[in-house]
Amino acid sequence: MAKCDQGGNDYDKAFLVSLGGQTYTFDSFECAIQKLAPTCPHCRVRIMGHGVEQGDVIYCCAHCAGQEGANALTDRAP
């Protein structure tokens, strides 16, 4: 069995996620999101979708970005 890097659970159906040259083991998507998903600097929610970016900062949506004064947003979604 593999041990979850977030919660420590030993689980026979664990899966691997590679990000930034590092590989993590998780027992659920919830654990993967909690450990790896960025957090919106305005509302503090985990960003599970594309979000919007300004420089190195990722926001969950244009509203939160605007509340933080971002005015040159990039959306990477096609």
Side-chain angles (χ1 to χ4, degrees):
M1 288 197 292
K3 189 173 183 180
C4 178
D5 288 331
Q6 179 66 19
N9 186 34
D10 283 325
Y11 188 53
D12 66 336
K13 293 175 181 64
F15 58 93
L16 303 176
V17 174
S18 295
L19 179 68
Q22 191 160 354
T23 300
Y24 302 89
T25 302
F26 297 108
D27 64 350
S28 67
F29 286 112
E30 292 90 348
C31 284
I33 290 166
Q34 188 63 32
K35 185 159 186 82
L36 300 178
T39 303
C40 178
H42 181 73
C43 69
R44 311 305 302 163
V45 302
R46 293 286 179 180
I47 302 168
M48 295 181 284
H50 292 105
V52 293
E53 303 176 29
Q54 181 168 314
D56 292 336
V57 181
I58 303 173
Y59 302 93
C60 67
C61 64
H63 172 78
C64 283
Q67 293 294 308
E68 294 289 308
N71 57 10
L73 296 175
T74 302
D75 184 349
R76 292 190 186 190

